[in-house]
């Protein structure tokens, strides 16, 4: 592992955030910069904002690639899906689009995969020896499957079909807000979702992230599962820290 600082950038639906990460401690080495995500979040517009963030850190950057997360399936530098972002990301040559404006190598990864690896390397599942399933409850549901510290990318378990629905439209934090559900209304949906995922993967540990994990005590203790389920600990820093780790250890 390198000791230099790595720039991680997390692209979300409302904000694009970046910070230098010190991998020796698994935390930010600088303040975080945040710029609102362009209203029409096309690859070109998002890449231009990302480049602005990179510029503000230029003097501190080493040779390592810049880590960038995106809420989409990513294979070999291409984005392959777009559930909650502009459809122009589907089959975009995203790594190249970023590198053309940033003028540095970019390592691109799914946002939940980045958050998940951060929780396993530094957070709630630090050094876990078995199978960890990290889910992020936000606008959608993101997932990261990590076995013995190795990430199996792009699991996209938010899009499991459950009772005829795309699961994230029923059980995400976004669905809770959109459907105006109380915690009491939402908990059975979480129960249905996590029971199903548990029966498919039999993980050793569930970690639950996303903004709503700050209220985890209101719903996690109510879930009846065979698998321990714990809140994420790195909160909204997980994506940036995780993608920096992945960029340095790819
Ligand atoms: C997307 C995933 C993403 C998740 C969390 C889902 O809708 O399909 O790629 O990880 O939302 O942002």
């Amino acid at each position: 592992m390198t000791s230099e600082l790595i720039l991680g950038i997390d692209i979300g639906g409302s904000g694009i955030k970046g910070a230098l990460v010190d991998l020796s401690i698994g935390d930010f080495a600088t303040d975080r910069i945040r710029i609102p995500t362009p209203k029409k979040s096309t690859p070109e517009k998002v890449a231009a904002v990302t480049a602005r963030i990179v510029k503000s850190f230029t003097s501190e950057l080493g040779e390592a690639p810049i880590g960038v997360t995106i809420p989409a399936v990513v294979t070999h530098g291409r984005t392959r899906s777009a559930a909650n972002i502009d459809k122009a990301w589907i089959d975009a040559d995203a790594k190249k689009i970023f590198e053309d404006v940033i003028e540095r190598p970019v390592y691109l990864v799914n946002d939940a995969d980045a958050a998940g690896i951060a929780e396993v390397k530094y957070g709630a599942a630090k050094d876990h020896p078995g199978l960890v399933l990290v889910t992020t409850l936000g606008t959608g549901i993101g997932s990261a499957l990590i076995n013995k510290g190795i990430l199996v990318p792009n699991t996209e378990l938010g899009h499991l079909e459950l009772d005829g629905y795309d699961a994230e439209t029923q059980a995400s934090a976004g669905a809770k807000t959109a459907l105006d559900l109380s915690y009491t209304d939402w908990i059975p949906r979480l129960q249905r979702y996590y029971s199903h995922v548990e029966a498919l993967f039999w993980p050793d540990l569930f970690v639950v992230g996303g903004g709503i994990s700050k209220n985890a005590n209101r719903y996690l203790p109510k879930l009846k599962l065979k698998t321990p389920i714990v809140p994420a600990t790195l909160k909204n820093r997980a994506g940036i820290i995780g993608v920096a780790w992945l960029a340095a250890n790819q």
Side-chain angles (χ1 to χ4, degrees):
M1 190 184 289
T2 161
S3 62
E4 68 184 315
L5 302 180
I6 310 284
L7 180 57
I9 298 186
D10 196 19
I11 298 175
S14 58
I16 301 180
K17 296 139 284 186
L20 283 172
V21 176
D22 180 346
L23 294 178
S24 67
I25 55 167
D27 208 346
F28 293 178
T30 58
D31 283 343
R32 192 186 75 151
I33 291 185
R34 180 185 188 280
I35 300 179
T37 307
K39 281 242 153 25
K40 192 161 166 49
S41 54
T42 59
E44 288 69 23
K45 288 191 173 169
V46 166
V49 172
T50 306
R52 276 173 60 201
I53 294 181
V54 175
K55 269 219 176 72
S56 49
F57 290 105
T58 304
S59 61
E60 292 146 293
L61 292 177
E63 292 303 308
I66 287 160
V68 177
T69 79
I70 187 91
V73 170
V74 180
T75 62
H76 312 290
R78 292 188 87 87
T79 40
R80 311 291 299 277
S81 67
N84 295 305
I85 46 169
D86 194 90
K87 300 296 171 219
W89 288 95
I90 298 173
D91 283 329
D93 196 354
K95 174 173 152 69
K96 182 168 187 311
I97 293 170
F98 282 112
E99 289 180 342
D100 283 350
V101 288
I102 291 173
E103 297 175 325
R104 279 173 176 274
V106 164
Y107 183 76
L108 189 66
V109 71
N110 171 265
D111 59 349
D113 281 340
I117 204 82
E119 293 295 339
V120 169
K121 297 300 168 189
Y122 303 107
K126 186 168 166 22
D127 298 332
H128 194 287
L131 183 63
V132 180
L133 188 37
V134 182
T135 51
T136 60
L137 298 174
T139 308
I141 298 180
S143 63
L145 186 64
I146 296 153
N147 190 35
K148 300 179 182 169
I150 309 280
L151 171 71
V152 180
N154 297 311
T155 43
E156 293 287 326
L157 301 181
H159 298 299
L160 285 172
E161 188 185 318
L162 254 190
D163 307 322
Y165 292 99
D166 186 32
E168 73 174 20
T169 65
Q170 305 302 303
S172 66
K176 178 181 182 300
T177 308
L179 304 171
D180 197 18
L181 304 174
S182 65
Y183 280 99
T184 311
D185 298 330
W186 188 47
I187 287 165
R189 293 166 178 246
L190 290 177
Q191 179 70 58
R192 175 85 181 95
Y193 180 69
Y194 284 105
S195 293
H196 185 63
V197 173
E198 177 176 64
L200 289 175
F201 291 95
W202 291 90
D204 296 308
L205 178 68
F206 280 118
V207 177
V208 180
I212 202 158
S213 66
K214 65 176 182 291
N215 299 330
N217 62 337
R218 300 189 64 178
Y219 54 93
L220 290 190
K222 308 251 166 67
L223 299 179
K224 293 188 178 53
L225 297 163
K226 300 178 185 75
T227 313
I229 186 162
V230 297
T233 57
L234 300 175
K235 310 284 184 235
N236 59 7
R237 291 169 301 150
I240 291 176
I241 294 171
V243 78
W245 189 91
L246 287 165
N249 292 277
Q250 52 185 299

